[in-house]
Amino acid sequence: MEILESTEGNIQIVKLEGRLDAPNTEKADDFFSKKIVATQENIVVDCKNLDYINSSGLRILIMGLKNMNKKNLKLILCNLQKNIKDVFHFSGFTNLFNVEYDFEAAINEAKN
Amino acid sequence: MKNQIINIKSRVSGIEIMNQKLAKICEEWKISKDVAFSMNLALEEIVTNIIEHGYKGVEDYDIIIRFTLEKDKLRIQIKDGSPEFNPFDVEEPKDFNAPVEEREIGGIGIHLVKKFTDNFTYRRGNNKNIITLQKNIE
């Protein structure tokens, strides 16, 4: 799995590419823990090229969401592939997260 | 009917080998991307559970995985020698609508296994836990 970082104005962009599976759990956990401690801005996670996620991956994102909430910041997801959307839906996580249809909508949400 | 078996160790590198094997098999057997996704998810959740809870994180135990292609279904059997435990008996998470701060994160994995497969069974035989996952092929 690749994790690519960029910014759009002040907004922090994180692109996840490939598979957030068991072998990549530690890498992703490490990344998000540090990123969320450090950030003073909202984060948009672009999942366009994220092909796979399991419950450990979900756990990382939900911990991230909890910690962003504590800082009064937003963690916004966008561009979820169908299967990934199903994983969120069946876990009951969809309505907890701020999930936007596309990148532009996510950026607009992050600006508000 | 087609069959393939692998034996992995109870550690993350074992899961990596297992995932690669499943991807290769799905390609060889021309399994759709959606079925491959569902079965990879179900298999990873079961095996992660075995490693973390059954084998308590000890890395040198064996897990035997058998992949079977029948006319209209893909079946995966997972056999391990950890203490008797039926993961499907565990109570489902109740608080699916609770606010994020109150959500219990555990238990989601097995819930996903149930949602992403068409059939799942557990039995104890020969001092082994034997789990079967099944997915219909469109």
Side-chain angles (χ1 to χ4, degrees):
Chain A
M1 185 188 57
E2 294 297 320
I3 303 173
L4 308 172
E5 288 182 87
S6 59
T7 54
E8 180 118 355
N10 287 331
I11 302 160
Q12 303 292 304
I13 317 291
V14 176
K15 279 191 177 142
L16 300 179
E17 307 203 330
R19 294 168 52 89
L20 214 179
D21 58 4
N24 283 302
T25 299
E26 202 180 325
K27 178 183 175 177
D29 195 14
D30 204 48
F31 171 82
F32 277 104
S33 307
K34 286 180 182 148
K35 179 88 188 167
I36 287 164
V37 167
T39 191
Q40 300 303 325
E41 305 293 338
N42 294 332
I43 298 176
V44 168
V45 182
D46 188 348
C47 300
K48 190 178 175 191
N49 295 316
L50 181 66
D51 301 318
Y52 180 89
I53 194 165
N54 62 19
S55 68
S56 309
L58 284 179
R59 190 172 292 131
I60 293 167
L61 292 176
I62 199 131
M63 288 311 294
L65 182 64
K66 283 185 183 184
N67 290 327
M68 288 292 278
N69 283 353
K70 278 183 203 155
K71 295 177 82 164
N72 247 331
L73 292 172
K74 292 180 189 171
L75 182 74
I76 300 155
L77 308 179
C78 68
N79 281 327
L80 270 60
Q81 294 181 18
K82 181 192 157 287
N83 285 322
I84 309 264
K85 227 181 264 177
D86 286 346
V87 174
F88 274 83
H89 174 71
F90 287 133
S91 311
F93 281 172
T94 308
N95 51 8
L96 294 180
F97 277 96
N98 207 330
V99 180
E100 297 292 340
Y101 178 72
D102 62 14
F103 185 70
E104 205 187 327
I107 291 295
N108 282 335
E109 176 60 28
K111 281 178 185 161
N112 286 327
Chain B
M1 199 172 86
K2 293 178 184 174
N3 256 309
Q4 289 206 36
I5 294 184
I6 57 162
N7 188 338
I8 61 161
K9 291 290 176 191
S10 53
R11 53 178 88 135
V12 175
S13 61
I15 296 183
E16 194 164 11
I17 291 164
M18 172 188 89
N19 286 349
Q20 285 164 0
K21 181 75 177 174
L22 177 62
K24 201 163 159 258
I25 286 173
C26 286
E27 208 184 308
E28 277 174 30
W29 293 353
K30 299 186 168 42
I31 305 288
S32 75
K33 236 182 109 184
D34 288 347
V35 171
F37 181 99
S38 300
M39 285 304 249
N40 194 169
L41 179 63
L43 180 58
E44 255 205 328
E45 299 296 349
I46 292 294
V47 171
T48 302
N49 215 48
I50 291 167
I51 292 174
E52 286 177 5
H53 302 293
Y55 288 138
K56 311 272 182 221
V58 178
E59 298 196 328
D60 283 319
Y61 291 111
D62 291 313
I63 300 168
I64 299 162
I65 303 159
R66 177 197 292 266
F67 304 89
T68 305
L69 179 69
E70 287 177 23
K71 204 177 100 211
D72 56 352
K73 51 180 151 302
L74 176 64
R75 204 167 59 227
I76 304 180
Q77 186 197 65
I78 305 116
K79 225 189 254 189
D80 75 273
S82 70
E84 181 166 4
F85 177 67
N86 179 356
F88 304 122
D89 270 353
V90 174
E91 215 172 312
E92 294 270 319
K94 284 186 201 129
D95 55 347
F96 275 115
N97 292 309
V100 57
E101 289 74 15
E102 294 161 23
R103 285 285 299 266
E104 275 296 325
I105 295 172
I108 300 280
I110 295 302
H111 178 73
L112 290 175
V113 174
K114 293 177 179 176
K115 290 290 182 189
F116 276 83
T117 57
D118 292 310
N119 195 273
F120 51 87
T121 63
Y122 169 86
R123 69 187 168 91
R124 181 81 178 170
N126 250 339
N127 286 324
K128 301 255 190 285
N129 296 305
I130 305 165
I131 288 171
T132 309
L133 307 170
Q134 201 168 287
K135 186 85 183 164
N136 299 334
I137 297 168
E138 304 79 357

